[in-house]
Amino acid sequence: MVREGIAGSTRTLQWKCVESRIDSKRLYYGRFILSPLMKGQADTIGIAMRRALLGEIEGTCITRAKSEKVPHEYSTIVGIEESVHEILMNLKEIVLRSNLYGVRDASICVRGPRYVTAQDIILPPSVEIVDITQHIANLTEPIDLRIELQIKRDRGYRMNPTNNSQDGSYPIDAVYMPVRNANHSIHSYGNGNEKQEILFLEIWTNGSLTPKEALYEASRNLIDLFIPFLHAEEGDIHFEENKNRFTLPFFTFQNGLTNLKKNKKGIPLKCIFIDQSELSPRTYNCLKRSNIHTLLDLLSNSQEDLMKMEYFRTEDVKQILDTLQKHFAINLPKNKFSF
């Protein structure tokens, strides 16, 4: 049994992947365990992780398609086996992998007779197709098919209005959910007050990321959501007399830097997180992808290090330098120190 391989006497939590397989290019499966947990903890973690896996992980989708001489979404085109609606549904199912932010353009430009698959999509450099064999349409006659596409990265599910477009442009409902399904189960063992639990997590993904990567992203996103509570100091809570409510002060990155300068004891740099800064979403996401989460992580890099990061621009470095100089009166070195 799984629990026999886990030391029940220790309270150090350990996780392990006990099963991993690839059923197809668009279906990955992973099974993980976390133990030992006290009674009730497995359910608390399992529910939160399942919701984070299904709703907090970003994915990339085709969100709009445009083709000339298409009078209606439910119309048919001579020489194409599928209707316009069926082609849109096939485009909706295309699984993409990317690190892009914002909207990008793509296109399809082919001539029949032939089958049109995901391999025929002309993509921007930052996007790749998980399964190039996914079917889009079947051209039965020697006609040209030109479709302009829009691609976007986001999270959750977005239902676009189905208004008929006069220019042949149609929105596609976007499913930004790389995790197809997630389940958790609990195994209890022990007696009385010594009862402990093992949490089992099952994750199915669409191939744009592995179950292990999905587990990491969901965990990271949950931590980010709880970070503000870690900085709500008890002494700063303002209670109002004769009222059954209280308000918490809004904590910002700059407040943390100011307190760090004024507090003689000092606040550990590792406790000041960059996700509470005034940095733009693009700059923050670039730092996050490079595993820079705290001020300590940031100060461990030089300007040269930042410029080597993927998608990082000179403007992003300048924004970081301005923030550090304004609120902390420090500068990042231009180059690495050599010893």
Side-chain angles (χ1 to χ4, degrees):
M1 294 178 64
V2 174
R3 70 182 179 89
E4 292 177 352
I6 302 173
S9 60
T10 178
R11 287 301 305 157
T12 302
L13 290 179
Q14 296 179 345
W15 77 276
K16 181 180 179 181
C17 178
V18 295
E19 185 178 356
S20 178
R21 67 173 186 264
I22 301 176
D23 294 330
S24 69
K25 291 182 179 180
R26 287 177 283 149
L27 184 58
Y28 285 40
Y29 172 79
R31 190 165 182 248
F32 307 87
I33 61 172
L34 177 67
S35 69
L37 295 165
M38 297 177 63
K39 184 178 179 180
Q41 289 182 339
D43 208 27
T44 300
I45 298 173
I47 292 173
M49 284 301 302
R50 184 177 185 275
R51 293 182 66 89
L53 285 164
L54 294 175
E56 297 295 331
I57 300 179
E58 293 183 342
T60 305
C61 293
I62 297 173
T63 59
R64 182 172 290 273
K66 179 180 179 180
S67 183
E68 297 179 355
K69 300 178 181 179
V70 177
H72 193 275
E73 179 182 350
Y74 297 97
S75 62
T76 58
I77 302 175
V78 177
I80 302 180
E81 183 177 315
E82 292 82 3
S83 67
V84 174
H85 177 73
E86 290 173 329
I87 294 175
L88 293 176
M89 291 300 98
N90 291 337
L91 290 171
K92 177 182 176 180
E93 296 296 324
I94 301 297
V95 179
L96 302 173
R97 180 191 297 116
S98 79
N99 289 322
L100 67 83
Y101 289 90
V103 179
R104 296 290 186 274
D105 294 326
S107 63
I108 298 175
C109 185
V110 296
R111 181 171 179 80
R114 57 168 294 183
Y115 286 102
V116 183
T117 65
Q119 186 177 11
D120 297 306
I121 301 177
I122 303 173
L123 295 167
S126 57
V127 184
E128 60 180 296
I129 298 171
V130 172
D131 184 1
I132 61 175
T133 65
Q134 284 189 261
H135 179 75
I136 296 176
N138 180 22
L139 307 185
T140 58
E141 297 182 11
I143 63 171
D144 293 324
L145 176 65
R146 294 184 177 87
I147 304 177
E148 298 176 13
L149 305 172
Q150 282 188 353
I151 297 174
K152 185 179 179 181
R153 181 180 175 88
D154 206 335
R155 66 179 61 179
Y157 178 80
R158 298 289 185 272
M159 181 178 291
N160 294 310
T162 57
N163 297 331
N164 293 330
S165 177
Q166 300 298 325
D167 62 351
S169 176
Y170 297 96
I172 300 175
D173 293 342
V175 183
Y176 304 104
M177 298 169 63
V179 176
R180 287 189 168 188
N181 194 14
N183 289 329
H184 82 278
S185 57
I186 302 169
H187 175 75
S188 301
Y189 62 96
N191 297 314
N193 295 331
E194 299 298 326
K195 200 167 187 178
Q196 294 182 328
E197 297 177 339
I198 300 175
L199 172 65
F200 291 83
L201 277 172
E202 293 182 289
I203 304 172
W204 292 263
T205 69
N206 63 2
S208 62
L209 77 173
T210 65
K212 184 177 180 180
E213 291 171 337
L215 186 62
Y216 173 82
E217 285 296 323
S219 302
R220 184 69 249 177
N221 290 335
L222 276 178
I223 292 172
D224 289 344
L225 290 174
F226 285 110
I227 280 175
F229 295 106
L230 299 178
H231 298 287
E233 297 180 0
E234 185 176 355
D236 292 334
I237 298 178
H238 306 299
F239 290 92
E240 298 183 14
E241 295 182 359
N242 301 324
K243 292 185 179 180
N244 296 323
R245 63 186 181 90
F246 64 91
T247 58
L248 288 172
F250 182 74
F251 182 88
T252 64
F253 180 76
Q254 284 70 30
N255 290 340
L257 293 178
T258 302
N259 292 336
L260 182 58
K261 289 188 291 184
K262 293 181 179 180
N263 190 353
K264 294 181 180 180
K265 296 181 180 179
I267 300 174
L269 298 180
K270 65 180 180 180
C271 293
I272 302 178
F273 292 83
I274 63 170
D275 56 357
Q276 293 172 306
S277 68
E278 293 179 353
L279 298 175
S280 66
R282 185 186 185 283
T283 303
Y284 165 69
N285 286 320
C286 286
L287 293 174
K288 183 179 177 181
R289 285 197 300 270
S290 300
N291 291 322
I292 297 177
H293 304 290
T294 67
L295 182 59
L296 180 62
D297 297 334
L298 181 59
L299 296 179
S300 300
N301 291 270
S302 65
Q303 298 180 38
E304 181 183 18
D305 295 329
L306 296 180
M307 288 303 300
K308 291 180 180 179
M309 295 178 185
E310 190 175 16
Y311 307 120
F312 225 75
R313 306 173 304 180
T314 305
E315 294 85 348
D316 302 324
V317 176
K318 185 178 184 302
Q319 184 184 30
I320 292 174
L321 294 177
D322 291 343
T323 300
L324 292 176
Q325 179 63 37
K326 178 180 178 181
H327 300 284
F328 200 41
I330 60 174
N331 289 303
L332 288 178
K334 292 185 177 180
N335 303 305
K336 284 187 175 181
F337 292 107
S338 57
F339 298 94

